[in-house]
């Protein structure tokens, strides 16, 4: 819609457009001429070996049973999440894929108690979230953290990186007096940033660096599981690679379970042991990632997989009327 709008504004005003993008589909659809800085990414398979899910302990960090979150918008009733069940084991990566609007973010928000479910249960390390008292909820929140798609708006623009990462530590009384700054430096290092980044404001960072800050903040309290809601979407290829490597490292070093929401199936294949396919608020199927993509049992999964062949991501093809 936005691209079509740009095109029609361009046609009616005759203005030139200088478009900066990392999206090759957008490029193909929009650009008359192209200047490329940096490199075109090599095939994904060359960059990383196939996903090798590490030894999984049987201990379960998250269990969701028959979760439903509905919205009333005027006289419209939206079943954003409608009967979802899943579990994630310690140190495991579980992915959720599905088109825009299928309910992924609503599900993610309800896991961290930002939504009030209509029915169903959520247990973190065996402790219930839905209906928990404020004090109990505070304890659960230490164990499950979330990273949003758009770190530019998720991070407080008026707060420097250091205090931003320190905030959850303060809230939970874990900012160790003198040890505080050292803790922040260690977290920055863990996510591949330098100590001087602590003095920067979010707008002084690249998208990839901001996402690293969001991750540092999320892992500051050493949670059992981190929910990542489309963390790669706003990033270019290099930043994606870096973030993927970082997530793997975190898992290896900290045994943090990840619930990864993504629409890039190639990426999911590389990192997730198990995957669920979501559509219209429900999971149409879930299982071991390799098996799911090799032998989808649901027609919708087949369509998703077929759509991703030869492409890096699943996208609606652009139907622009004409190119100049
Ligand atoms: P996704 O993350 O998969 O794109 P969302 O969870 O954001 O999907 O949205 C699922 C559905 O719920 C959409 O139809 C969306 O319009 C609706 N929705 C999401 N949040 C709200 C809200 N706060 N109020 C009303 N409707 C909402
Ligand atoms: Mg979303």
């Amino acid at each position: 819609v936005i691209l079509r709008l740009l095109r029609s504004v361009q046609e009616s005003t005759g203005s030139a457009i200088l478009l900066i993008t990392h999206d090759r589909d957008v490029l193909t659809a929009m650009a008359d001429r192209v200047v490329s800085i940096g490199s075109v990414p090599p095939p994904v398979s060359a960059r990383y070996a196939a996903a090798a899910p590490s030894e999984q302990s049987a201990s379960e960090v998250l269990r969701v049973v028959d979760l439903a979150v509905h919205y009333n918008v005027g006289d419209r009733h939206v079943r954003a999440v409608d009967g979802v069940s899943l579990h994630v084991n310690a140190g495991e990566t579980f992915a959720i894929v599905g088109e825009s609007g299928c309910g992924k973010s609503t599900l993610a928000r309800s896991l961290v108690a930002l939504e009030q479910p209509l029915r169903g249960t959520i247990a973190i390390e065996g402790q219930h979230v839905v209906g928990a008292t404020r004090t109990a909820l505070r304890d659960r929140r230490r164990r499950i953290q979330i990273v949003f798609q758009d770190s530019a708006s998720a991070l407080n623009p008026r707060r420097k990186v250091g205090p931003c990462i320190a905030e959850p530590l303060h809230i939970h009384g874990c900012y160790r007096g003198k040890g505080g700054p050292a803790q922040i430096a260690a977290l920055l290092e863990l996510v591949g940033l330098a100590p001087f980044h602590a003095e920067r404001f979010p707008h002084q960072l690249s998208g990839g660096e901001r996402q690293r800050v969001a991750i540092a903040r999320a892992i500051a309290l050493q949670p059992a599981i981190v929910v990542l809601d489309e963390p790669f979407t706003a990033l270019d290829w290099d930043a994606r690679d870096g973030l993927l490597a970082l997530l793997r490292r975190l898992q290896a070093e900290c045994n943090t379970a990840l619930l990864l929401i993504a629409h890039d199936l190639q990426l999911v294949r590389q990192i997730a042991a198990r995957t669920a396919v979501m559509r219209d608020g429900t999971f149409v199927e879930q299982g071991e990632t390799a098996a799911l993509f090799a032998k989808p049992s649901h027609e919708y999964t087949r369509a998703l997989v077929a759509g991703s062949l030869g492409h890096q991501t699943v996208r609606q093809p652009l139907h622009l009327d004409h190119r100049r």
Side-chain angles (χ1 to χ4, degrees), residues 3 7 19-36 318 323:
L3 293 177
R7 193 53 107 186
L19 183 70
I20 299 171
T21 180
H22 62 255
D23 189 320
R24 285 190 281 198
D25 290 354
V26 170
L27 212 104
T28 313
M30 292 294 289
D32 299 317
R33 289 185 299 120
V34 176
V35 173
S36 147
L318 291 168
R323 296 188 52 197

Side-chain angles (χ1 to χ4, degrees), residues 243-311:
L243 192 59
L244 189 57
L246 167 62
L247 293 180
R248 292 189 148 170
R249 203 176 129 212
L250 286 181
Q251 246 173 345
E253 288 179 19
C254 314
N255 201 39
T256 316
L258 303 176
L259 194 153
L260 176 68
I261 293 170
H263 55 244
D264 186 333
L265 297 193
Q266 298 258 25
L267 209 141
V268 163
R269 255 185 249 237
Q270 290 174 62
I271 193 173
R274 290 185 302 118
T275 298
V277 178
M278 191 167 187
R279 187 190 197 186
D280 294 341
T282 61
F283 285 176
V284 297
E285 65 178 307
Q286 59 178 309
E288 304 256 326
T289 307
L292 190 86
F293 288 146
K295 248 183 164 224
S297 60
H298 196 281
E299 196 183 328
Y300 183 71
T301 313
R302 275 198 288 278
L304 269 189
V305 172
S308 79
L309 289 179
H311 300 285

Side-chain angles (χ1 to χ4, degrees), residues 75-305:
D75 52 4
R76 215 162 58 91
H77 188 69
V78 181
R79 296 165 192 270
V81 175
D82 202 29
V84 162
S85 299
L86 65 92
H87 73 276
V88 183
N89 294 323
E92 184 188 34
T93 298
F94 182 82
I96 299 174
V97 298
E99 288 168 298
S100 183
C102 72
K104 303 182 297 295
S105 295
T106 304
L107 172 59
R109 285 196 305 271
S110 60
L111 297 180
V112 293
L114 294 174
E115 296 283 349
Q116 196 62 48
L118 179 71
R119 62 164 203 273
T121 58
I122 300 167
I124 294 163
E125 296 177 314
Q127 308 288 310
H128 283 282
V129 169
V130 183
T133 62
R134 275 176 73 119
T135 336
L137 201 56
R138 210 176 132 112
D139 287 343
R140 315 280 130 90
R141 281 206 168 115
R142 274 184 79 140
R143 305 300 295 156
I144 185 164
Q145 294 286 322
I146 189 163
V147 172
F148 295 101
Q149 170 177 343
D150 183 5
S151 51
S153 63
L155 299 175
N156 184 340
R158 282 187 293 268
R159 178 166 269 180
K160 285 183 181 170
V161 164
C164 165
I165 296 174
E167 191 179 24
L169 295 166
H170 282 299
I171 290 172
H172 291 274
C174 310
Y175 191 83
R176 291 184 258 114
K178 281 194 306 230
Q183 249 180 307
I184 303 308
L187 280 165
L188 283 170
E189 197 198 332
L190 189 60
V191 298
L193 295 174
F196 67 78
H197 283 115
E199 294 301 315
R200 298 266 172 92
F201 285 99
H203 76 268
Q204 296 171 316
L205 303 175
S206 73
E209 289 167 341
R210 268 199 303 269
Q211 221 38 317
R212 285 166 190 267
V213 171
I215 289 171
R217 190 181 145 96
I219 61 174
L221 293 161
Q222 298 178 310
I225 180 165
V226 177
V227 178
L228 299 128
D229 189 357
E230 307 208 48
F232 302 97
T233 311
L235 305 182
D236 61 24
W237 289 105
D238 283 349
R240 272 184 205 207
D241 276 2
L243 192 59
L244 189 57
L246 167 62
L247 293 180
R248 292 189 148 170
R249 203 176 129 212
L250 286 181
Q251 246 173 345
E253 288 179 19
C254 314
N255 201 39
T256 316
L258 303 176
L259 194 153
L260 176 68
I261 293 170
H263 55 244
D264 186 333
L265 297 193
Q266 298 258 25
L267 209 141
V268 163
R269 255 185 249 237
Q270 290 174 62
I271 193 173
R274 290 185 302 118
T275 298
V277 178
M278 191 167 187
R279 187 190 197 186
D280 294 341
T282 61
F283 285 176
V284 297
E285 65 178 307
Q286 59 178 309
E288 304 256 326
T289 307
L292 190 86
F293 288 146
K295 248 183 164 224
S297 60
H298 196 281
E299 196 183 328
Y300 183 71
T301 313
R302 275 198 288 278
L304 269 189
V305 172

